[in-house]
Amino acid sequence: MNRHGKSGGWSANEKAASPYTNRSPDQIGAFFDGVEFLGPGVVSTSLWRPEAQQIGGPPAEVAASCGVGRKR
């Protein structure tokens, strides 16, 4: 049962202004074919290039992944 007391559920895409597609880190990595993949790779968004000294310790992981690449 969903939060409205109905069976089934609702998709985030039904409520979102822009469609959202969940992808695994491997699926996200596939978008980087043909570009220079910058470290640390596809990781939890909060862990991409953290500067622990600037934020007071290691950041918590979040349920979103990202990566950065450079086209040459």
Side-chain angles (χ1 to χ4, degrees), residues 20-58:
Y20 185 85
T21 302
N22 290 317
R23 300 188 198 289
S24 71
D26 287 339
Q27 290 171 317
I28 293 169
F31 287 104
F32 292 92
D33 287 347
V35 299
E36 178 186 355
F37 200 38
L38 303 178
V42 177
V43 296
S44 174
T45 302
S46 60
L47 300 177
W48 205 92
R49 298 286 177 135
E51 297 295 336
Q53 298 83 6
Q54 294 177 349
I55 60 174

